[in-house]
Amino acid sequence: MSATPVQGKSSTQDQSVEPVTFDISGMSCAACASRVERAVTKLDGMDAVVNYATQRAIVFGADPTDADQIIDNIRSAGYDAHLRSDEDADLWTQRANHQRLRQLRIRLIVAALLTIPLMDISIVLALVPKFRFPGWELALLVLSVPVVTWCAWPFHKIALLNLRHRTVTMDTLISLGVAVSFIWAVVTVLFPSVLDGTDAWVGFSWAPDGAQALYLDVAAGVTMFQLAGRYFETRSRRKANQTLDALMQIEAATVRVVTDEGTVEQPVSQLQSGQVFEVRAGESIVADGIITQGSADVDVSAMTGESQPVFLETGASVHSGTVTTNGYIHVEAQQVGGHTRLRQMAQAAEEAQARKSAVERLVDRVVRYFVPGVIALAIISGLAWWIFGQHVSTAVMVAVSVLIIACPCALGLATPTALMMGMGAGASRGILVKGMDALEASGRVDTVVFDKTGTLTTGKMRIIDAVPVDEFSVVDLFAFTAAIERKSNHPLARGVVDAAERLENVAFYNATDIQEIPGRGMVGVVGQQQVLAGTAHLLDDYGVEIPPRDAVDGSEILVAIDGRFAGSIVLGDVIQTGAHQAIAAMRHMGLHTVLLSGDRQNVSEALGRELGIDTVIGDTTPLEKADVVERLQAEGRNVVMVGDGINDSVALSTADLGIAVSQGTQVSLQSADAVLVRSDLLAIPEAVLLSRQTLRTIKQNLFWAFAYNTGAIPIAVAGLLNPLISTLAMALSSTLVISNSMRLARFDPRRTISRALRSASQIRQTNPNESTQKP
C-alpha cells in the first residue's frame, strides 16, 4: 500500500505484519466488539479490529505466542476467545455457535411456555376483576420469576459486566427494561396502594375502570421477544458467515502421491512441491500445478464463478479447490499448502474484516454514544411524566418503552452484514475483495484505468503483417528471424517463432553467435550471413540503411540480412477474452475508461480504438502511471486501476481501488485491494455492479435503522408505545436488516450486464452510422 493514505483505504494497521486471528464468543452487539478491541489494545504494541457480524478478531503486532495473554485480556472483559488455526478453527467455531444457539433456543422455549400463558392470564385478570382469585398477583409473580431471571440471564450477565467496566451496551438497555418492569411489578404486588388513582395501560390505550396493571407481562414479554430476536439473528448471521467459510470447506484432506512403487495416500499437509499426485473423476485438486498426464473436465466454479466445466489436458494449469467431473489426470504440484491460490483466497477473505469501511467506523462511533444517551433520555422522560402530574406507574412504563425501542441492534448489523454478504457473493464469482473498505470504494468509482499487456491483452503476440522488400520473401523474413529469435523469451520473439512454425515451406536454420541486445533486438549468424532483428536503432548501429515506410499500428521488428534491409514483421497483442464486452458494459454503466500503457502511443491508440476506450495514454513509465492516477483523482474522479505487473504496483496502491488480475506478479497481487481470480475481464463490471448493490443495501439498512430509532423514540417519549410493542418492533428491525443483506447472495450482476450489452447492440443496429468509440 502507498505510504500516503488515499480515500477508501484504511491505514490504521500495518499490513506488512502478519495478523493473528481469534474467534470470539459471547458478543451480542456492536458495542461488545468495541470492548473486545479495547481489551486487546491495552497490551503494548497491539491493535485489534473485531467484527461483530463474523464474531472474529484480527490482532496486529502480535504472534501466536502472545495468544494466551490476548485470550486472558478478552476473558477479563467478559468474553471467550480461541486462536484460529487451520486445524481446529472450524470445529471450535461450529461448537461455539452450536452451543450459543442451543442455549438461546432452550431459554426461548422456556420463556415462551411461561410468558404466553402469563400474558393471557395477567391481561384477563387485570381487566376483569370478577375473574380474580385470592393471591392471583403472587401466583403470576412466581410464574414470571424464571423468565426474568434465568431466561433473561444473557442480557443481565452482559449488563453486570458493563457495570463493572463502567460501560453500557444494547444489552444494558434490555436488562434495565426487564429489571425495572419486574421490580415495579413486585412493588405493586407488595404495596398495592401505589396504584391508587391510576388506570391499567394496555397497548396504545387505557383500560376501563377497575382494571389493575401488574406489568409482569411487560417484563416477561420483553425477555421472550428479545430472546426470539437474538436467536433468529444468530442463525441468520451464522448462515451469512458460511459464505466465506465455504472457501476452505472445498479443500480435500488427503492426496494420492504417484511414486515409482505406485500411489501412496497421505495427508495434504505433507504434499511437497515437485511431487506428482493423481486425481480421479469427482475428486478435488489439492494443489496448484501442471497436468503431466491425462485429461479431464474440471469444475472451476468455486474459483472463477464459471458455470460450465473446462476441458483441460496435459500441460494445462490447475488450481487447488477445483473438482474434476470426469477423466483421470496426474498433476505435478507447484504451489502447495498456504501458497495455493485457494489458501490465499481464504486468507484474504479471513483478513478482509480487518479493514473496516468508513460507514462502519461511523456507526461504531454513533453506537458508542447512542446507548448512554438513550439511558439518560429514558430517565428524563420518566421523571418528566411524573413531575408533570402523571402517575409513577405511567412514568415507569414510558421510561421502559424508551429503553427498549431505542436499542440500536439493527444499526450495529446494518453495515457489516451487507458488506460480508457482498464479499461472499464476489468470492463466489471469482472476485476476491481484500477489505470491506475496498468493497465500499469500488461502489463509488467512476473511472477505470487499464494497463495494457497482461491485462487487456494476453502478453502473447499475433502477426499482423509481414512486408518483405527487394528479392526477399515472407518465407525468408520468418525463416531467418525465427532462427535467431528462438533463444529469446521476449513476447515479440515468441510471436515470430510461433508464426514461423505454423507457416508452410519455412526452413528452420541453425544460427550461431546469437546475441541479445537489451532494448534493441537480436543479432546472429545464419550460414555465412549476419541477421539483425529488432528496432531501427539496432539497424542504425550496424550501418543498415532503412528506406522510408509508413507508420504501423503494432509492434514492428525490422529485419536485415547480410547488411541489407530485408523487410519488417508487424505484431499485435492478442486481446483478452471478454475485453470487448467488458469495455462496452463499463461504458454503458457510465464509467470513463482509460488505457495507460508503457507501449508506444500509436500502438496503444490502435488497441484503444479497437476496444472503444475513451482515453489512451502511451509511453508511460511506472511512476508516470501513478502520476496519471493522481491527476485523475485531482480532477475529482474516483479511480480504479487494473493491472498485473510489477510496473503497475505503484499505480495500484495510488488508486482509490486497485484490482490485480490473478495471473499477475506477487507484487501486484499484494499491492491491489481486489484480485480477479478468473481471467474474464467481465469480472470488473460485475465487481462494480455488485459493489453498487452492496452500497445500496447498506443505505437501505442504515435508513431503516436510523429511521426506526429516530422515529420511534419520540413516540415512546410521548407515551404512545407499550413496551411489548417496542420490543417486538426492535426484534423485527434486526431481522429485517439481516434479511435485506442476505438478498445480496441472490444478486446476479451478469444478468444486468447481459441486458446492457443487448441494449447497446440494438442501438447500434438501429443507428449503424453512430460510433460508440471515441478517438
Side-chain angles (χ1 to χ4, degrees):
M1 305 302 292
S2 58
T4 303
V6 293
Q7 182 182 6
K9 294 184 180 181
S10 171
S11 58
T12 57
Q13 292 89 22
D14 182 3
Q15 298 297 334
S16 64
V17 178
E18 190 72 20
V20 183
T21 304
F22 293 83
D23 288 300
I24 310 296
S25 64
M27 293 193 300
S28 59
C29 64
C32 294
S34 298
R35 180 181 295 119
V36 175
E37 287 180 358
R38 291 194 295 271
V40 175
T41 53
K42 289 179 181 178
L43 299 171
D44 291 339
M46 295 188 192
D47 191 15
V49 176
V50 180
N51 191 301
Y52 166 54
T54 59
Q55 299 282 296
R56 290 173 190 165
I58 291 186
V59 181
F60 296 86
D63 58 58
T65 61
D66 300 316
D68 291 340
Q69 189 178 10
I70 294 171
I71 292 173
D72 288 342
N73 271 38
I74 294 174
R75 286 176 177 168
S76 67
Y79 307 92
D80 195 13
H82 179 81
L83 178 64
R84 189 169 179 82
S85 62
D86 293 339
E87 288 76 18
D88 61 354
D90 290 333
L91 179 62
W92 191 90
T93 303
Q94 292 171 6
R95 186 183 298 130
N97 288 336
H98 177 73
Q99 183 178 2
R100 175 172 169 77
L101 275 175
R102 181 174 176 274
Q103 291 178 351
L104 285 172
R105 183 168 58 247
I106 293 174
R107 293 180 194 273
L108 175 59
I109 292 172
V110 173
L113 291 175
L114 296 176
T115 300
I116 293 175
L118 172 66
M119 293 175 65
D120 293 338
I121 296 171
S122 62
I123 291 174
V124 171
L125 295 180
L127 296 179
V128 187
K130 67 178 183 179
F131 288 162
R132 298 172 187 167
F133 53 87
W136 68 278
E137 303 101 323
L138 187 60
L140 293 178
L141 188 63
V142 171
L143 190 63
S144 67
V145 169
V147 179
V148 299
T149 54
W150 183 78
C151 294
W153 176 243
F155 310 117
H156 299 321
K157 178 183 176 182
I158 299 297
L160 292 173
L161 190 65
N162 294 338
L163 185 62
R164 193 178 79 185
H165 291 277
R166 299 178 182 178
T167 58
V168 291
T169 64
M170 295 174 228
D171 286 302
T172 307
L173 302 182
I174 299 170
S175 179
L176 276 175
V178 173
V180 170
S181 301
F182 181 72
I183 292 172
W184 182 245
V186 172
V187 171
T188 60
V189 170
L190 298 179
F191 307 101
S193 60
V194 300
L195 293 176
D196 293 343
T198 186
D199 294 323
W201 187 31
V202 179
F204 287 89
S205 62
W206 303 99
D209 294 338
Q212 182 178 347
L214 286 183
Y215 304 112
L216 289 173
D217 54 347
V218 172
V222 167
T223 301
M224 182 184 70
F225 288 138
Q226 288 293 339
L227 282 172
R230 191 65 55 82
Y231 173 74
F232 290 112
E233 172 196 321
T234 303
R235 281 190 59 181
S236 300
R237 192 155 26 84
R238 184 181 67 168
K239 183 178 180 180
N241 200 28
Q242 288 173 348
T243 305
L244 295 182
D245 289 340
L247 283 173
M248 292 307 300
Q249 294 173 0
I250 60 178
E251 191 176 47
T254 60
V255 61
R256 288 184 301 277
V257 177
V258 179
T259 65
D260 294 337
E261 291 78 21
T263 60
V264 178
E265 187 167 347
Q266 66 182 42
V268 171
S269 58
Q270 296 179 7
L271 182 66
Q272 297 180 358
S273 177
Q275 289 185 313
V276 176
F277 60 93
E278 69 172 8
V279 184
R280 301 171 184 172
E283 293 184 341
S284 174
I285 298 172
V286 300
D288 296 351
I290 301 293
I291 297 178
T292 59
Q293 178 183 327
S295 62
D297 288 324
V298 181
D299 180 2
V300 296
S301 59
M303 298 290 291
T304 69
E306 297 179 36
S307 57
Q308 297 298 323
V310 179
F311 178 75
L312 299 176
E313 54 188 348
T314 302
S317 298
V318 292
H319 297 284
S320 173
T322 57
V323 180
T324 58
T325 58
N326 57 46
Y328 176 85
I329 55 176
H330 282 186
V331 178
E332 180 182 347
Q334 294 183 326
Q335 303 293 334
V336 298
H339 300 288
T340 65
R341 183 183 294 181
L342 174 67
R343 285 296 186 91
Q344 290 173 351
M345 286 176 60
Q347 182 180 359
E350 188 72 33
E351 295 176 3
Q353 58 178 298
R355 292 165 55 180
K356 287 190 177 182
S357 68
V359 176
E360 271 194 296
R361 292 191 292 271
L362 174 62
V363 170
D364 285 348
R365 289 195 297 271
V366 170
V367 170
R368 188 178 307 163
Y369 297 106
F370 186 82
V371 175
V374 167
I375 295 175
L377 179 62
I379 295 173
I380 293 172
S381 300
L383 288 175
W385 274 74
W386 180 55
I387 291 171
F388 285 100
Q390 293 296 326
H391 196 278
V392 65
S393 61
T394 301
V396 168
M397 288 301 101
V398 169
V400 171
S401 290
V402 173
L403 285 173
I404 300 302
I405 198 67
C407 284
C409 294
L411 194 60
L413 291 168
T415 303
T417 53
L419 287 171
M420 183 174 61
M421 290 304 301
M423 291 175 61
S428 66
R429 290 171 173 82
I431 307 161
L432 180 60
V433 182
K434 292 186 177 180
M436 292 184 176
D437 59 335
L439 184 68
E440 186 182 49
S442 58
R444 297 193 303 265
V445 298
D446 53 32
T447 302
V448 182
V449 179
F450 291 95
D451 170 53
K452 184 175 76 72
T453 306
T455 303
L456 288 176
T457 63
T458 62
K460 298 179 180 179
M461 306 302 290
R462 58 187 172 89
I463 303 297
I464 296 177
D465 199 5
V467 185
V469 297
D470 299 335
E471 74 274 15
F472 297 101
S473 66
V474 171
V475 171
D476 293 331
L477 284 181
F478 279 102
F480 282 90
T481 305
I484 62 173
E485 295 281 21
R486 281 183 172 182
K487 300 295 184 179
S488 174
N489 290 321
H490 194 281
L492 293 178
R494 292 199 301 271
V496 171
V497 173
D498 291 342
E501 291 176 346
R502 292 192 298 270
L503 290 176
E504 296 180 359
N505 303 321
V506 173
F508 288 94
Y509 302 125
N510 292 322
T512 59
D513 298 329
I514 297 175
Q515 181 182 6
E516 183 168 3
I517 302 175
R520 303 279 182 166
M522 301 290 292
V523 179
V525 176
V526 176
Q528 302 297 319
Q529 304 179 86
Q530 185 186 56
V531 180
L532 309 174
T535 66
H537 294 295
L538 176 67
L539 272 61
D540 286 340
D541 292 343
Y542 282 83
V544 177
E545 183 178 350
I546 304 173
R549 65 196 190 284
D550 296 331
V552 297
D553 291 335
S555 299
E556 189 177 34
I557 297 178
L558 303 181
V559 182
I561 300 175
D562 203 20
R564 291 182 299 160
F565 182 73
S568 62
I569 299 175
V570 183
L571 299 94
D573 290 317
V574 176
I575 297 176
Q576 290 277 18
T577 302
H580 289 88
Q581 294 89 337
I583 299 298
M586 283 182 272
R587 289 171 58 86
H588 188 81
M589 292 162 55
L591 297 173
H592 183 78
T593 54
V594 179
L595 174 58
L596 196 58
S597 174
D599 211 337
R600 298 196 312 275
Q601 182 69 26
N602 66 313
V603 175
S604 301
E605 287 179 348
L607 178 64
R609 284 194 299 271
E610 183 172 354
L611 292 176
I613 293 176
D614 296 316
T615 304
V616 177
I617 303 174
D619 296 309
T620 56
T621 66
L623 291 179
E624 288 173 342
K625 288 184 177 182
D627 292 339
V628 171
V629 171
E630 289 180 345
R631 187 166 65 247
L632 291 169
Q633 291 171 327
E635 296 173 357
R637 295 183 178 274
N638 290 308
V639 181
V640 54
M641 174 70 193
V642 186
D644 76 312
I646 294 176
N647 62 336
D648 301 319
S649 59
V650 179
L652 287 169
S653 297
T654 304
D656 297 284
L657 181 74
I659 298 180
V661 296
S662 60
Q663 294 86 355
T665 64
Q666 191 65 28
V667 174
S668 67
L669 296 178
Q670 291 175 352
S671 301
D673 301 295
V675 177
L676 301 183
V677 179
R678 73 180 204 252
S679 58
D680 187 0
L681 288 176
L682 277 171
I684 298 173
E686 286 182 23
V688 174
L689 284 173
L690 180 61
S691 301
R692 288 178 176 178
Q693 183 65 25
T694 301
L695 285 184
R696 192 176 298 119
T697 301
I698 291 172
K699 291 177 181 178
Q700 292 169 350
N701 289 349
L702 289 176
F703 173 79
W704 168 253
F706 277 113
Y708 165 79
N709 285 116
T710 56
I713 288 176
I715 298 175
V717 171
L720 300 176
L721 278 182
N722 185 292
L724 290 179
I725 298 175
S726 298
T727 193
L728 179 60
M730 198 216 74
L732 290 176
S733 175
S734 297
T735 303
L736 176 63
V737 164
I738 294 174
S739 300
N740 191 44
S741 298
M742 293 185 68
R743 291 191 306 120
L744 286 168
R746 300 190 298 273
F747 176 70
D748 188 0
R750 298 180 188 180
R751 294 181 181 176
T752 304
I753 293 174
S754 297
R755 288 195 296 267
L757 293 176
R758 284 198 300 270
S759 175
S761 176
Q762 291 171 358
I763 292 174
R764 286 194 297 270
Q765 292 174 5
T766 305
N767 304 288
N769 296 325
E770 181 179 342
S771 175
T772 60
Q773 298 183 2
K774 295 184 179 181

